[in-house]
Amino acid sequence: MDQNLIEEILNRLSLVEVASEYLKLTRSGSEFKALCPFHQEKTPSFTISPTKNLYYCFGCGAGGNLINFIMEMEKLDFNQALEFLAKKAGVEITGKNYQTWDKLYKIMDQTADYYHRLLVKGYAPQYSQYLEKRGIDQQMIKTFKLGAAIKKVVPKFKEKKTDLADLEQAGLIIKKPRQTVERFYDRLIFPIFDVKGRIIALGGRSLKENTTKYVNSPQTPIYSKNRTLYGLNIAKKHLDKTRKVYLVEGYLDLITMHQYGYPNTVASLGTSLTSNQATLLSRFTDQVIIGYDNDAAGIRATQRAISILLKLGMEILVLNLGKYKDPDDFLRNNSSPENLSQHSISWIDFMFNLNPLNTPGAKKKFAHQIKDLLSDIDDSVLKIEWSKQIAYRLGLNPSYFYTPANVTNHKNLSKPIISSVKNSKNTVLTLIKALSTRDDHIGAKAVKFLKSLNLTSPDNEFEPDSSLLAASSQSLNKFIQAEISRLEFCDTELAEKSLQKYIKKYHDMIKKEKCDQILDQIRQAQLQGKDTRKLEIKLDKILREK
Ligand SMILES: [Zn+2]
């Protein structure tokens, strides 16, 4: 989204003004106080600074700017929150038609509702029997709003004078020259929800032989398949408590997971996770347990998911269910379904289990495959860690994995692998800078630290990312924004702890950068056929530095 547009929105709206629509604000000195909307409390600890246009809660640590506030209150993502605020500010966002969206949400909701009622009121016994046979209980049918499309939906909408073109745009009907076909007719219906819990699409399963088993909504203005994760609207509520999220294949896998006490589950709906889905997931957690089917297609999909999730620096485990063909089978037929997570192994073990390394050729091929996987990881410390683990098991030198898979491709060498580290270093410096504006002695300490960095050396130069400080950048992670707020508001003791934490983090990042540089040198040396042992010793020394 256009930066000017964001600024325009933020200029027109004040946090105090918008927040007062949700909260009862009372003035307290130069600030405003309210009962915190993000945790239960009796005395107000939610604070807004009108001059800084930031909020912070001393009770639960929530904090941020206007956009963060709306993201939290309305459960929206960054872009959705901006659209919401744009409406409020009367700023026009071109190319998006809210009326269309609202119309389509309504149509999808009414459709799902209609099918759901047909199922739960007992009009579709064969569908009820099917669900019973699959062991899906009434609560799940309600939670996921399952339905039975035993009647056509077009007459229903004609009564309401809904335009057929709208139904077509919603993906419910297909217009053919001589007739109109209802896409989901005669199918078991799984509504697909967005993060906010609105129905944006449908999946339909046929119970008949000789027909396409699953039919799904096409791409529509409100639905994009590769950006949607089934079940995330529910899972996200549990990801505050547990970082772990289970990733499964289909509707029924997911519903069974919920029924057996694993609401922290999402389904990628389709053979494989897409990068967009993974990015969406990474907003909520950094630990994924992959639970795809235990067949050839499922194993391929698992490998693809591993490579996508590794790029995002996620921690990855894979369910290893032995004779059970998927999580559904395990939960229903294993005597202790509560032990699911104990049946997970690291992605490295998964890769080793998959490849019997009984010939030199197989070993070589496997090493290449791993090298490919590792080549996209930005975090050099993680990369070295994994390289070492894997190299040890293969009897190889870890440096084998430090070179990109295709060493003759010089493009790989020029890839700026340290850019992400640099960015996060700037973030840490930004947070220390936020501390340096405090009036107490922590502020002075932070200033001293910033001065101690040799800012004249180009390597250490601190270039404050102005968009970070303007607090209006899309790239600005909400945690960072909340942290800036917290650092502005918190007491001296907490500020001191934070300062120590960030200074340590800064030093860790410097270490990471050094590693990256040596990794680069190792790569160059390998290309030129030189000995890399000295460099590897150097690398080990840096890794051991405290
Ligand atoms: Zn709070």
Side-chain angles (χ1 to χ4, degrees):
M1 189 158 306
D2 186 355
Q3 189 66 29
N4 292 334
L5 193 66
I6 296 171
E7 264 153 28
E8 178 72 17
I9 292 167
L10 290 174
N11 282 341
R12 289 200 194 186
L13 298 167
S14 86
L15 177 58
V16 170
E17 226 174 86
V18 175
S20 67
E21 292 178 30
Y22 296 86
L23 311 169
K24 195 172 167 293
L25 298 175
T26 11
R27 197 172 246 292
S28 152
S30 63
E31 294 164 350
F32 287 88
K33 294 219 170 243
L35 288 173
C36 178
F38 307 121
H39 84 281
Q40 289 277 337
E41 63 175 0
K42 294 212 173 76
T43 32
S45 44
F46 186 84
T47 315
I48 294 176
S49 157
T51 48
K52 291 173 185 154
N53 233 355
L54 296 172
Y55 67 91
Y56 182 68
C57 172
F58 289 89
C60 67
N65 65 5
L66 176 58
I67 298 171
N68 306 117
F69 182 76
I70 289 302
M71 284 168 76
E72 292 300 324
M73 293 304 289
E74 298 288 339
K75 300 285 174 222
L76 300 174
D77 68 25
F78 186 87
N79 281 323
Q80 289 166 334
L82 274 181
E83 280 157 17
F84 180 92
L85 289 168
K87 254 187 185 174
K88 205 178 256 307
V91 178
E92 221 182 283
I93 299 181
T94 47
K96 298 231 161 122
N97 188 337
Y98 296 104
Q99 280 179 342
T100 306
W101 290 14
D102 286 345
K103 208 161 56 188
L104 296 182
Y105 286 130
K106 216 184 230 163
I107 287 173
M108 295 313 289
D109 192 57
Q110 287 168 346
T111 305
D113 210 54
Y114 180 55
Y115 292 152
H116 181 59
R117 272 185 287 123
L118 288 174
L119 178 67
V120 294
K121 301 264 187 221
Y123 293 114
Q126 72 276 34
Y127 290 86
S128 300
Q129 277 157 22
Y130 171 79
L131 288 169
E132 205 184 318
K133 211 174 75 201
R134 290 296 304 251
I136 306 294
D137 69 23
Q138 289 304 314
Q139 184 54 49
M140 290 302 120
I141 291 174
K142 252 170 94 182
T143 303
F144 292 96
K145 219 170 178 182
L146 305 188
I150 51 165
K151 287 190 185 175
K152 299 215 166 165
V153 81
V154 169
K156 199 84 193 152
F157 278 110
K158 272 189 177 156
E159 276 172 33
K160 294 180 202 277
K161 307 247 182 300
T162 305
D163 199 340
L164 278 190
D166 292 341
L167 297 184
E168 195 182 10
Q169 200 178 18
L172 292 175
I173 59 171
I174 306 160
K175 272 193 174 162
K176 295 197 170 164
R178 286 164 173 275
Q179 56 171 347
T180 298
V181 178
E182 292 212 8
R183 194 184 297 267
F184 296 99
Y185 179 64
D186 208 10
R187 286 174 181 273
L188 178 64
I189 300 299
F190 299 89
I192 297 169
F193 301 84
D194 67 5
V195 181
K196 224 188 141 188
R198 292 175 299 201
I199 294 168
I200 51 173
L202 301 178
R205 189 194 197 285
S206 173
L207 302 188
K208 295 205 166 90
E209 306 274 319
N210 307 325
T211 43
T212 319
K213 203 162 154 195
Y214 279 100
V215 163
N216 292 299
S217 291
Q219 178 103 2
T220 73
I222 57 170
Y223 175 58
S224 168
K225 185 177 189 295
N226 71 19
R227 289 172 193 278
T228 307
L229 280 165
Y230 185 60
L232 184 59
N233 57 313
I234 299 174
K236 70 168 184 186
K237 295 174 194 152
H238 299 271
L239 292 177
D240 293 339
K241 282 170 247 140
T242 166
R243 277 167 56 223
K244 275 182 219 147
V245 68
Y246 289 93
L247 172 68
V248 298
E249 272 182 33
Y251 306 103
L252 287 166
D253 294 320
L254 180 124
I255 293 172
T256 303
M257 289 289 285
H258 273 249
Q259 196 172 314
Y260 279 82
Y262 301 97
N264 49 327
T265 305
V266 297
S268 47
L269 296 186
T271 42
S272 183
L273 185 74
T274 68
S275 317
N276 284 328
Q277 286 175 326
T279 309
L280 174 65
L281 194 57
S282 70
R283 270 180 35 212
F284 298 92
T285 183
D286 58 358
Q287 203 182 80
V288 181
I289 303 177
I290 304 173
Y292 283 165
D293 289 0
N294 199 359
D295 58 14
I299 288 167
R300 273 198 306 275
T302 302
Q303 285 177 286
R304 276 200 300 271
I306 288 173
S307 96
I308 289 169
L309 293 166
L310 276 179
K311 279 179 207 162
L312 294 170
M314 307 269 254
E315 243 176 84
I316 309 164
L317 296 168
V318 180
L319 284 183
N320 184 27
L321 301 176
K323 62 179 171 149
Y324 301 100
K325 64 181 198 296
D326 53 31
D328 184 284
D329 188 22
F330 175 89
L331 293 172
R332 293 187 188 284
N333 300 314
N334 184 284
S335 53
S336 43
E338 66 280 5
N339 289 341
L340 185 62
S341 70
Q342 289 171 18
H343 292 264
S344 58
I345 54 174
S346 78
W347 68 270
I348 294 175
D349 285 336
F350 169 81
M351 294 299 292
F352 270 94
N353 290 352
L354 218 55
N355 295 276
L357 304 174
N358 40 17
T359 66
K363 206 166 128 180
K364 196 174 160 196
K365 205 176 140 208
F366 180 64
H368 261 285
Q369 202 186 345
I370 294 286
K371 199 171 185 172
D372 259 341
L373 277 179
L374 294 178
S375 70
D376 281 328
I377 298 173
D378 281 332
D379 187 324
S380 57
V381 170
L382 266 184
K383 188 173 179 158
I384 295 168
E385 201 44 61
W386 283 331
S387 297
K388 280 185 159 177
Q389 277 185 40
I390 295 167
Y392 175 75
R393 289 168 70 166
L394 288 172
L396 287 172
N397 187 318
S399 66
Y400 171 82
F401 295 109
Y402 303 160
T403 12
N406 182 2
V407 285
T408 54
N409 183 354
H410 285 258
K411 266 191 201 145
N412 278 342
L413 289 175
S414 58
K415 203 176 132 203
I417 52 163
I418 59 173
S419 61
S420 71
V421 175
K422 271 210 167 135
N423 282 338
S424 33
K425 201 172 80 182
N426 270 350
T427 305
V428 172
L429 284 173
T430 300
L431 293 171
I432 296 175
K433 231 187 162 198
L435 279 163
S436 74
T437 63
R438 292 173 60 97
D439 299 332
D440 56 12
H441 73 278
I442 304 306
K445 269 192 182 174
V447 170
K448 205 176 142 199
F449 171 78
L450 289 170
K451 279 192 178 156
S452 79
L453 303 174
N454 186 4
L455 295 182
T456 50
S457 142
D459 270 353
N460 286 330
E461 192 161 9
F462 172 42
E463 303 154 28
D465 182 345
S466 62
S467 61
L468 268 176
L469 294 173
S472 58
S473 156
Q474 174 157 19
S475 64
L476 181 56
N477 182 307
K478 74 170 178 182
F479 297 109
I480 298 168
Q481 185 53 56
E483 187 62 2
I484 291 176
S485 287
R486 190 182 72 85
L487 296 175
E488 296 269 2
F489 285 102
C490 69
D491 65 23
T492 305
E493 195 188 330
L494 271 174
E496 174 132 49
K497 273 192 189 143
S498 305
L499 182 61
Q500 282 165 359
K501 186 174 102 189
Y502 286 122
I503 289 177
K504 182 181 179 303
K505 196 151 196 176
Y506 179 80
H507 288 306
D508 285 349
M509 285 173 163
I510 296 289
K511 183 165 148 183
K512 212 177 232 181
E513 275 194 5
K514 281 189 196 161
C515 285
D516 279 329
Q517 279 166 9
I518 295 179
L519 279 180
D520 256 353
Q521 288 169 13
I522 290 178
R523 268 172 220 157
Q524 297 290 354
Q526 281 175 336
L527 268 182
Q528 295 158 9
K530 288 185 189 156
D531 186 18
T532 59
R533 257 174 304 172
K534 269 189 187 159
L535 288 166
E536 281 162 40
I537 291 167
K538 218 167 145 188
L539 191 62
D540 261 348
K541 216 176 118 197
I542 291 170
L543 281 172
R544 277 198 303 271
E545 268 173 20
K546 275 281 167 285

